[in-house]
Amino acid sequence: MGENMTFFEDGFKKNGLIWLRYIYFAFVGCLIGAIIGLAETIFCLGLNWIFKIRVGHEMSLLIAMPFVGLLIIFIFVKYGGQSKEGMNLVFKVDQGKSRTITYRLVPCMVLSTWLTHLVGGSVGREGVAVQIGATLSYRIGKKLPFSIPKSMLLETGIAAGFSGLFGTPIAAAFFGLEVLVSGAIRYEGLCSALTGSFMAAYISSLFGIHAEQFALPHVSITFFLMLRVILLGIICAFIGMFFSKSLQFMRNNLAKLWPNPYQRIFIMGIICAGLLALFDQGRYSGLGVNLIDAAMHGQTIYPWDWILKLVMTVLVLASGFQGGEVMPLFSIGTCLGYWIGSLIGIPPMFAAAMGYAALFAAGTNTLLAPIAIGMEIFGTQYFLPIFIVCAIAFLLNKNHSIYVLQRNLRL
């Protein structure tokens, strides 16, 4: 367990009570989960308030995008410090490349994400959620009477942050264990990740934050259906890889084109606002929940919805606006699955659900979390196709990830 576990190894093990460390881990997980659950509730309620403000003012708020972009850059330049690295800072701490995660990451990321959503940026929210979780967990862990490995603290915080926002504790626990190092799960963090995840979900549920679940029409799982599901998984693998590479490519090249972050975000803010207004008056703004709901309720999904949502998410994030990538991945995967399903003979709503989980697997380079979230959102009765489509997307994505500093121990 490492030198930080000297207390447990030399104390409890010597007395045959090493199992007590798991009670301690569970207690720490509950403590961290409760605090992070409250923090995620504040963040989510703030987002919900912003979404209400936007109703009826979508186009007028898009005009403000370049100016709000300047404010976001000012916040990070003036007050952000290391926090401007965002999720990369979490990876650096786990890998020993940075010593700590500054508290200021939380308010800077929360405020900048709220502002991005206010003006209709095509971004998610989970990026901030897991950064909040990792930051608070890491800092709380340093104040505990008995030390815990930093990897365990980060995993617990990520799990609690994801769960507090999405209300999917099992998927969140696995995400926390998988995302920092793809291809290797450090099971010593399982106890605290699970308890932290369930506690955060419980706390946020007290304030009305729950996982959105969808009832799929009955689909008979046949051999020929599974062949089509495999094909869908292959397609999702390459689209997930394309999303990750496009995001990295645009970030690097926009930074070269406009080295000044103020100039970059202002010019790109004008471009992004214009494109979002042009593309069906903001259909691709925000989280993409509108597209997920449309697909899952049999409403209109256009063949180009997935690619336009992907393009707008890449452009907005690469410009310097803040938010997450996972919710857009869910939205892109849902639209892609719906469209591909209608082409290859899979019931579109069922295919949309498969795409939802599979693109998450391909984009984040994780496996167990996408399988779990597929079952938590769409039902355990579809375990087999969810498992297959996620496994294919995970195996064939060539180890690409939206997290550029993710360590990879896969073959």
Side-chain angles (χ1 to χ4, degrees):
M1 295 290 290
E3 58 184 22
N4 284 333
M5 296 308 296
T6 301
F7 170 81
F8 295 110
E9 299 299 338
D10 294 346
F12 289 157
K13 189 173 183 179
K14 184 182 298 182
N15 297 300
L17 299 175
I18 197 169
W19 57 269
L20 285 176
R21 69 182 182 181
Y22 293 109
I23 295 178
Y24 180 61
F25 293 160
F27 168 77
V28 170
C30 288
L31 174 65
I32 289 173
I35 295 172
I36 293 174
L38 287 172
E40 300 297 349
T41 297
I42 294 171
F43 171 60
C44 192
L45 292 179
L47 272 182
N48 292 341
W49 180 65
I50 286 170
F51 295 153
K52 291 178 181 178
I53 292 176
R54 282 185 49 77
V55 175
H57 304 90
E58 291 85 355
M59 292 300 101
S60 58
L61 286 170
L62 274 176
I63 297 173
M65 180 173 280
F67 303 100
V68 169
L70 294 176
L71 177 58
I72 290 172
I73 296 300
F74 174 78
I75 291 171
F76 281 102
V77 171
K78 182 72 173 178
Y79 305 105
Q82 281 186 302
S83 68
K84 63 179 178 292
E85 296 187 64
M87 193 64 184
N88 284 343
L89 183 58
V90 177
F91 283 99
K92 285 184 176 181
V93 169
D94 181 63
Q95 297 165 14
K97 298 176 182 177
S98 186
R99 295 183 61 184
T100 190
I101 308 177
T102 174
Y103 270 126
R104 68 181 67 185
L105 182 147
V106 174
C108 287
M109 284 296 175
V110 168
L111 182 57
S112 60
T113 300
W114 281 345
L115 289 171
T116 299
H117 277 288
L118 178 65
V119 294
S122 177
V123 298
R125 54 187 179 177
E126 78 302 318
V128 182
V130 298
Q131 290 170 48
I132 291 172
T135 302
L136 295 180
S137 179
Y138 185 80
R139 300 304 295 256
I140 292 168
K142 294 302 180 182
K143 300 181 184 301
L144 295 173
F146 306 121
S147 62
I148 291 180
K150 64 182 179 183
S151 61
M152 189 182 299
L153 292 173
L154 294 175
E155 290 161 357
T156 303
I158 290 171
F162 194 101
S163 182
L165 191 67
F166 285 108
T168 54
I170 299 175
F174 283 124
F175 186 72
L177 295 175
E178 287 186 282
V179 70
L180 294 174
V181 184
S182 180
I185 296 180
R186 296 174 287 199
Y187 284 105
E188 64 268 21
L190 181 60
C191 181
S192 58
L194 276 174
T195 53
S197 181
F198 274 95
M199 178 59 76
Y202 171 71
I203 294 297
S204 62
S205 71
L206 297 178
F207 297 88
I209 301 171
H210 303 278
E212 187 169 9
Q213 297 176 315
F214 297 99
L216 298 179
H218 176 72
V219 176
S220 297
I221 309 302
T222 65
F223 174 76
F224 292 104
L225 176 69
M226 293 308 300
L227 288 179
R228 296 183 178 100
V229 167
I230 290 172
L231 177 58
L232 177 58
I234 294 171
I235 294 171
C236 285
F238 287 99
I239 298 303
M241 180 176 63
F242 175 71
F243 179 84
S244 303
K245 294 183 71 173
S246 297
L247 185 56
Q248 186 175 358
F249 174 84
M250 287 302 299
R251 277 175 169 157
N252 292 338
N253 283 275
L254 288 180
K256 291 177 183 178
L257 185 60
W258 295 297
N260 186 308
Y262 287 104
Q263 184 183 27
R264 179 167 66 248
I265 204 167
F266 186 79
I267 294 173
M268 288 304 299
I270 295 173
I271 294 171
C272 289
L275 290 175
L276 286 167
L278 177 66
F279 295 152
D280 207 357
Q281 297 189 333
R283 180 175 175 87
Y284 308 107
S285 291
L287 300 171
V289 173
N290 59 316
L291 298 173
I292 296 173
D293 286 341
M296 292 304 165
H297 293 96
Q299 299 171 7
T300 302
I301 292 292
Y302 301 111
W304 54 85
D305 275 340
W306 71 271
I307 187 63
L308 290 182
K309 183 62 179 176
L310 185 153
V311 167
M312 292 314 307
T313 301
V314 167
L315 289 178
V316 170
L317 287 173
S319 303
F321 293 94
Q322 297 299 317
E325 301 93 343
V326 170
M327 273 303 300
L329 278 175
F330 289 151
S331 179
I332 296 164
T334 300
C335 294
L336 176 66
Y338 192 96
W339 177 57
I340 294 296
S342 64
L343 292 179
I344 64 176
I346 304 177
M349 290 174 62
F350 175 80
M354 298 302 106
Y356 180 106
L359 205 65
F360 179 35
T364 61
N365 204 23
T366 60
L367 175 61
L368 299 180
I371 293 171
I373 205 167
M375 291 191 292
E376 287 183 284
I377 299 295
F378 302 107
T380 57
Q381 69 271 28
Y382 294 113
F383 166 75
L384 180 59
I386 290 171
F387 177 86
I388 294 296
V389 77
C390 289
I392 294 295
F394 173 72
L395 291 171
L396 298 182
N397 79 332
K398 297 186 178 180
N399 294 335
H400 287 87
S401 174
I402 56 177
Y403 306 115
V404 294
L405 294 185
Q406 183 185 60
R407 288 175 58 203
N408 199 321
L409 298 182
R410 292 171 55 188
L411 295 178

